[in-house]
Amino acid sequence: KTELHPDGAIFARGSADDKGQFFMQIKAFEAMMKTNSLPCNIKFIFEGEEEVGSVSLGDFVNEFKEKLSCDCILISDTHIYSNEQPTVTTGLRGLSYVEVEVEGPNRDLHSGLYGGAVPNPIHVLSRMIAKLIDEDGQITIDGFYDNVEDVSDEERAEMNKLKDNPEEFKKSIGLNGVEGEAGYTTLERTSIRPTLDCNGIWGGYTGEGAKTVIPSKASAKISMRLVPYQTPEEITEKFTKYFEKIAPDNVRVKVTPHHGGLPYVLPTDTKEYLAAKQAMETAFGKEVLPYRGGGSIPITSMFEQVLGAKSVLMGFGLDSDAIHSPNEHYGLFNFYKGIESIPLFFENYSK
Amino acid sequence: KTELHPDGAIFARGSADDKGQFFMQIKAFEAMMKTNSLPCNIKFIFEGEEEVGSVSLGDFVNEFKEKLSCDCILISDTHIYSNEQPTVTTGLRGLSYVEVEVEGPNRDLHSGLYGGAVPNPIHVLSRMIAKLIDEDGQITIDGFYDNVEDVSDEERAEMNKLKDNPEEFKKSIGLNGVEGEAGYTTLERTSIRPTLDCNGIWGGYTGEGAKTVIPSKASAKISMRLVPYQTPEEITEKFTKYFEKIAPDNVRVKVTPHHGGLPYVLPTDTKEYLAAKQAMETAFGKEVLPYRGGGSIPITSMFEQVLGAKSVLMGFGLDSDAIHSPNEHYGLFNFYKGIESIPLFFENYSK
């Protein structure tokens, strides 16, 4: 039992992400078979590589396109906003991940003999990173926002019905203050807006004590979370052009793309969304709201492109379930609500 | 033999820095003894710890103050500008070295779930580093230049007689362009002006491939080269205050001082400088110019403070001798010019 799970919880690696959610699907199927209430055909895919990038699933989907053909896809690999405020995840962000390098002098230099007279790659990289986001939290890359989905005021209002508790949010991560793009709430900043983050930086002497070196190179890893209708190819290209543009003439810069992924969104006026919303409203006895997640599950876009089917992201975990961490757990309440909701989804969707 | 040393050179670890220069002092002394031409008393100090910070010499000087009392100190641990343009080193820069840390969230965060809504320590640190130097290459720390020696136009003109060959300088370190404080030459930027360099930076994920983390912390090592009459204590304090001042409210910053050292300067109107200049002019048959070095030998300031004696930095190496590197060497021409110059220095100084 935990504070958030008074009915008890299953503590186990993968309990919430997502062997417990997978078992919930099986139990719902078992129940429908026993009561002879399954209203449609179901095909199962058990994916065991999601945490390492679903490297085989892409090939599999392309190869067995016919066999996998379907009307819609139900995935339980996300969480709800809270047990008091159930949600259906209606979006995931895409990703463009790049590594950058700034090279100044052709070797590490003595900062006494050269300091003050040559471009220092750490300073140059710092100035360039500082330039990527302006004072309003807007990303400055030319054309970065060109294809960003214009989310309607209605959808934004709906989304912001979710309790946005800034004090709780700040406390949970030990901050005095949050920040981000002007004109958007924290919920919007982490869901319907694209972002740019430096995930790593290194250069020069990083050991104990002091060494007076001007390094030849400094590097950083930079990722951008994308929203509909941005594509990783487009954004990686725009980033590269801009980064090269803002580089001073006296250094060389290199941009190396890592991987990317398309964003995914399930519109709230689709049959798929409405079937899930109504199923969960019946099971929870509460209004269900749409919720855009900030992370990425690249396979959802691929399902849509190859199979022409929308994915419904109906997961029942909580943000606080400590996935990927010690003491991962999955609440029994959530497990049972899932088993109740899944048959209702099939019922609604088959009508 | 090398291009710069047609008479031959001694290739050995420490040949130029500075066992060869030390041996040169012994040979000069031997010659003066043989010809009975030593015009004054000499005390020798053999310092074997200079490369690891002279940790014992400071205590030694304090303890044996009486025994070490002298009129002036002659050190051969520097280089001349070139064999065509001999120089006496008249200054060394001091140092203030600090480590800084910016802490944002209390743990590493998932950049999908939190990206766009929290301060990213790498971005914050990058912006702060970018702010330390303005577009004119001036250090922005409040009061940083308050005590900086105002070098006279005469001395600057004298110093700039040294051939400042920017093409050669750039080529030697593989740069298309140099930079630095507006209004000063490369020679001045690396000698009579204080500087600030980031010697190392690290934070977040720095391994192979991609990891989408917003790190809790990012750190950097920053050193400042000082000129008369700046002190490491003063500059470290000013840096700390300024760094804390420019930190945004939503992060915590920490400044940890490492070590420091006082700058040293030998004025060109002193008896010590003139004795060295004339000695070398006789030996080389050429005009000798003053030369301010960019590096640091902290013991020279200590000698002045404890013993009340000026140090004459009469070293005969070349910048190209590859000290601390493979193939370190010391030209025979330089070795012999040293042996010629040293007795002449004693002769001039004793007059």
Side-chain angles (χ1 to χ4, degrees), chain A residues 163-272:
Chain A
K163 261 186 246 113
D164 190 4
N165 187 332
E167 289 314 312
E168 192 54 42
F169 179 77
K170 284 189 282 182
K171 212 180 124 197
S172 74
I173 49 177
L175 288 175
N176 311 327
V178 294
E179 61 181 45
E181 199 181 352
Y184 294 93
T185 63
T186 291
L187 268 174
E188 291 171 333
R189 287 167 176 172
T190 56
S191 59
I192 60 165
R193 300 300 295 173
T195 55
L196 181 149
D197 264 296
C198 202
N199 307 104
I201 192 166
W202 67 100
Y205 181 68
T206 59
E208 285 286 304
K211 189 180 165 189
T212 50
V213 69
I214 297 174
S216 169
K217 293 175 183 177
S219 303
K221 295 190 192 261
I222 295 173
S223 68
M224 290 154 284
R225 296 280 170 176
L226 314 181
V227 297
Y229 299 90
Q230 294 179 302
T231 69
E233 293 75 22
E234 167 219 348
I235 291 301
T236 301
E237 195 188 324
K238 285 178 176 170
F239 176 88
T240 305
K241 271 196 191 147
Y242 185 71
F243 201 74
E244 287 167 353
K245 184 180 112 176
I246 63 172
D249 288 342
N250 55 8
V251 300
R252 292 171 292 284
V253 301
K254 200 164 76 185
V255 178
T256 310
H258 280 293
H259 68 285
L262 281 165
Y264 176 74
V265 75
L266 176 68
T268 52
D269 56 2
T270 52
K271 193 176 159 185
E272 288 82 359

Side-chain angles (χ1 to χ4, degrees), chain A residues 79 93 95 97 99 104-107 109-120 122-127 129-130 133 169 171-181 186 189-190 195-215 218 221 223 225 249-252 258-259 294-295 319, chain B residues 79 93 95 97 99 104-107 109-120 122-127 129-130 133 169 171-181 186 189-190 195-215 218 221 223 225 249-252 258-259 294-295 319:
Chain A
H79 58 83
R93 291 195 281 190
L95 186 70
Y97 200 112
E99 188 162 325
N106 58 10
R107 61 177 191 276
L109 299 176
H110 188 292
S111 76
L113 305 184
Y114 291 91
V118 298
N120 178 323
I122 300 178
H123 286 264
V124 175
L125 179 58
S126 295
R127 285 199 298 267
I129 290 173
I133 300 179
F169 179 77
K171 212 180 124 197
S172 74
I173 49 177
L175 288 175
N176 311 327
V178 294
E179 61 181 45
E181 199 181 352
T186 291
R189 287 167 176 172
T190 56
T195 55
L196 181 149
D197 264 296
C198 202
N199 307 104
I201 192 166
W202 67 100
Y205 181 68
T206 59
E208 285 286 304
K211 189 180 165 189
T212 50
V213 69
I214 297 174
K221 295 190 192 261
S223 68
R225 296 280 170 176
D249 288 342
N250 55 8
V251 300
R252 292 171 292 284
H258 280 293
H259 68 285
D319 197 16
Chain B
H79 58 83
R93 291 196 282 190
L95 186 70
Y97 200 112
E99 187 162 324
N106 57 11
R107 61 178 191 275
L109 300 175
H110 188 292
S111 76
L113 305 184
Y114 291 92
V118 298
N120 179 324
I122 300 178
H123 287 265
V124 175
L125 179 58
S126 294
R127 285 197 297 265
I129 290 173
I133 300 178
F169 179 77
K171 211 181 126 197
S172 73
I173 49 177
L175 289 174
N176 310 326
V178 295
E179 60 182 46
E181 197 181 354
T186 291
R189 287 166 176 172
T190 55
T195 55
L196 181 148
D197 264 295
C198 201
N199 307 105
I201 192 166
W202 67 100
Y205 181 69
T206 58
E208 283 288 305
K211 189 180 166 189
T212 49
V213 68
I214 298 176
K221 296 191 193 261
S223 67
R225 295 282 170 174
D249 289 342
N250 55 8
V251 300
R252 293 172 292 283
H258 280 293
H259 68 286
D319 197 15

Side-chain angles (χ1 to χ4, degrees), chain B residues 291-302:
Chain B
Y291 177 69
R292 296 265 198 125
S296 307
I297 308 181
I299 202 70
T300 51
S301 317
M302 194 182 175

Side-chain angles (χ1 to χ4, degrees), chain B residues 267-312:
Chain B
T268 53
D269 57 2
T270 52
K271 193 177 158 187
E272 287 82 359
Y273 172 73
L274 293 170
K277 174 188 162 78
Q278 284 151 16
M280 288 175 69
E281 287 186 342
T282 306
F284 283 84
K286 281 186 173 133
E287 189 193 8
V288 165
L289 295 176
Y291 177 69
R292 296 265 198 125
S296 307
I297 308 181
I299 202 70
T300 51
S301 317
M302 194 182 175
F303 282 148
E304 186 161 21
Q305 286 180 329
V306 179
L307 307 176
K310 292 275 181 204
S311 291
V312 177

